[in-house]
Amino acid sequence: MNEVSLFRLYLLRAMYLLIVVGLGIVVWPGVIYREEPWELMEGVVQCMLAAFSALSVLGLRYPLQMLPLLLWELVWKLIWLIVVALPLWSAGQMDESTWAIVSSCLWVVIIPFVIPWRFVFAHYVKKRGDRWR
């Protein structure tokens, strides 16, 4: 009942591959060949994206074990879109840089379609947690 189809596993692997390749092209050159120091928050963002892409490599081999990585990506982007972008948009105060971040965050709409939700429910909601003592 909690078995995930081979097709769904390949969808997950495709998602991890998209992340690895996309961030590999966009983020890693700046991490590897950085000549000047980043400003504080830009450095935080770039290093988190680099870590996300590096951990996504594990998702190619272990797509189900790395599901929390995709869930984290889905949740933080939804929170940002709802708490930051939506109020700015509804107030008519979206500037060009905010629109750029919104457009980069909107690819998150793909993630819910590749996540095996029955598996997530069975393994992260219904399953007994690890012991506390």
Side-chain angles (χ1 to χ4, degrees):
M1 179 178 175
N2 294 328
E3 179 109 5
V4 176
S5 71
L6 186 58
F7 175 73
R8 183 60 64 122
L9 291 174
Y10 279 114
L11 278 178
L12 283 168
R13 286 184 173 113
M15 171 73 6
Y16 292 116
L17 185 61
L18 176 67
I19 293 164
V20 169
V21 171
L23 293 179
I25 292 169
V26 174
V27 172
W28 278 102
V31 170
I32 295 170
Y33 302 112
R34 190 83 192 150
E35 293 180 12
E36 298 175 13
W38 278 308
E39 291 185 23
L40 177 63
M41 287 313 296
E42 183 65 19
V44 169
V45 168
Q46 295 303 313
C47 290
M48 286 183 69
L49 288 171
F52 178 54
S53 68
L55 289 171
S56 291
V57 171
L58 291 174
L60 296 171
R61 182 164 182 173
Y62 307 107
L64 295 176
Q65 291 177 19
M66 296 307 291
L67 270 175
L69 191 62
L70 292 182
L71 294 172
W72 176 80
E73 181 74 356
L74 175 67
V75 171
W76 88 255
K77 284 186 176 182
L78 286 176
I79 291 171
W80 188 88
L81 287 167
I82 292 166
V83 173
V84 177
L86 185 60
L88 289 173
W89 177 76
S90 55
Q93 298 177 342
M94 293 281 282
D95 61 7
E96 193 173 313
S97 63
T98 307
W99 274 115
I101 295 171
V102 166
S103 66
S104 70
C105 283
L106 281 178
W107 77 269
V108 79
V109 299
I110 301 170
I111 293 177
F113 295 105
V114 301
I115 290 179
W117 290 106
R118 285 188 193 131
F119 180 88
V120 169
F121 185 74
H123 288 267
Y124 298 111
V125 178
K126 283 181 65 177
K127 185 177 175 183
R128 278 185 80 159
D130 293 334
R131 61 191 175 101
W132 287 84
R133 49 190 161 125

